[in-house]
Amino acid sequence: KNQVEQSPQSLIILEGKNCTLQCNYTVSPFSNLRWYKQDTGRGPVSLTIMTFSENTKSNGRYTATLDADTKQSSLHITASQLSDSASYICVVTQRGDSSYKLIFGSGTRLLVRP
Amino acid sequence: DARVTQTPRHKVTEMGQEVTMRCQPILGHNTVFWYRQTMMQGLELLAYFRNRAPLDDSGMPKDRFSAEMPDATLATLKIQPSEPRDSAVYFCASGLGFGGGHEQFFGPGTRLTVL
């Protein structure tokens, strides 16, 4: 069954600390994996997109990794800021014959405290 | 400042009424997506279009939902008749493709409440 599982479900950290969010998937055939940040009351914003051949990609203080062999991805946030408080959603694209299908994780809710 | 716009931002209606949500994709984007987000189900893809043609609407309840792109600057999502279980935030997103590394840009969403 094609699934995307994220952990932890929620996380509280102090401002300035680092954290790592996990995403494990069982989607096949794989096209790409995306990490989105969603602030409360807003639409998701893309952080990174990684295809099969990419194993790390950075966007400022956000660094995503992908291990296509173990089907695991992580999102590392460095020197967290209060504005990092949001939900982080992992989405895996499944490649089909003539179309694509998105498999969504349920998200990790991050709260950064001063 | 190119961005996806959606109207209305909020909609409260009664069960059985027709609801139409509108989306203006970013100029030049050829792929448009409709998503629904609820606390219980999270984010789910309802349908997507490429060059105004529907490519996949398998995520959409066909009996009451319909999605169209009358022209390149307007996408609509219609629910008729609406039911309380349709209460959710509906997002539109646009991009230059689906597979590979194409990014999707989301609108602010329409928060729908069906009483």
Side-chain angles (χ1 to χ4, degrees), chain B residues 11 13 36-39 64-65 79 82-90 110-115:
Chain B
K11 176 74 176 179
T13 190
R36 175 171 63 185
Q37 187 174 40
T38 63
M39 288 293 291
R64 299 181 301 107
F65 284 60
I79 308 175
S82 58
E83 297 180 1
R85 59 181 167 148
D86 301 330
S87 297
V89 181
Y90 291 82
T110 294
R111 182 174 294 275
L112 174 65
T113 303
V114 183
L115 302 174

Side-chain angles (χ1 to χ4, degrees), chain A:
Chain A
K1 185 179 178 185
N2 293 299
Q3 283 186 314
V4 174
E5 294 187 358
Q6 292 187 244
S7 61
Q9 215 170 21
S10 61
L11 183 62
I12 301 174
I13 62 173
L14 292 176
E15 186 179 12
K17 298 295 185 184
N18 304 335
C19 68
T20 300
L21 313 181
Q22 297 290 342
C23 174
N24 297 338
Y25 62 94
T26 58
V27 179
S28 182
F30 174 90
S31 177
N32 60 63
L33 184 146
R34 305 162 187 256
W35 281 96
Y36 286 97
K37 178 189 177 191
Q38 186 175 22
D39 293 317
T40 301
R42 293 180 175 267
V45 174
S46 179
L47 294 176
T48 63
I49 305 169
M50 287 187 291
T51 55
F52 188 87
S53 58
E54 297 172 299
N55 55 24
T56 186
K57 189 169 269 191
S58 291
N59 179 356
R61 294 180 296 102
Y62 300 100
T63 299
T65 65
L66 174 64
D67 186 332
D69 292 330
T70 61
K71 297 188 175 181
Q72 295 180 324
S73 176
S74 66
L75 180 70
H76 186 76
I77 304 175
T78 304
S80 61
Q81 299 176 358
L82 298 180
S83 59
D84 293 330
S85 296
S87 289
Y88 292 84
I89 304 170
C90 175
V91 185
V92 178
T93 303
Q94 181 187 36
R95 189 180 67 248
D97 290 335
S98 58
S99 67
Y100 295 89
K101 188 176 176 67
L102 296 178
I103 317 295
F104 295 86
S106 55
T108 292
R109 189 177 293 275
L110 174 66
L111 177 62
V112 180
R113 286 212 162 123

